[in-house]
Amino acid sequence: MRSYPAAVQEVAPLAVVGGRLLTRLADVTDDLGALDGRGTWAVVLPFEGPPICARFSDVRPARPRPERPREWDICSGPPWHGPSPAEWTTSLDRGGFCAGVDAIRAG
């Protein structure tokens, strides 16, 4: 099992997917067959490594992020909107990406 810093461990697991807020983590597995069962799942498919399937017990509509939360007034602003998929390009092929990841991990 992966270990996380104490500050991260204090945050309750959640996912925001498709306008829904998923809470009350019930199960985590890398077995994609579990998706055929009951429940609401959030799935992460990493570039390399096993999938991460997280089943949540509570699902409700996610509230949109406010444009200017009062408590974050100095650093708030509208959400960042990156380039459209048609405008996005990369300078790395798979080998270059993997070499960069290896360099960071060796870091």
Side-chain angles (χ1 to χ4, degrees), residues 2-103:
R2 182 179 279 164
S3 114
Y4 293 97
V8 173
Q9 293 175 8
E10 293 174 11
V11 177
L14 64 86
V16 178
V17 180
R20 297 180 301 162
L21 173 64
L22 288 62
T23 57
R24 295 186 52 222
L25 182 65
D27 188 21
V28 177
T29 182
D30 63 1
D31 178 9
L32 292 172
L35 302 176
D36 292 330
R38 302 180 117 200
T40 301
W41 293 85
V43 179
V44 177
L45 299 172
F47 189 71
E48 287 187 0
I52 303 165
C53 307
R55 183 170 56 91
F56 291 87
S57 298
D58 186 41
V59 180
R60 60 184 179 270
R63 291 185 293 170
R65 176 187 178 272
E67 286 297 317
R68 298 195 128 249
R70 282 182 232 145
E71 64 273 15
W72 299 346
D73 202 37
I74 292 174
C75 59
S76 67
W80 179 72
H81 297 284
S84 73
E87 296 171 332
W88 185 87
T89 61
T90 181
S91 60
L92 295 175
D93 59 11
R94 186 176 195 280
F97 174 82
C98 291
V101 169
D102 290 342

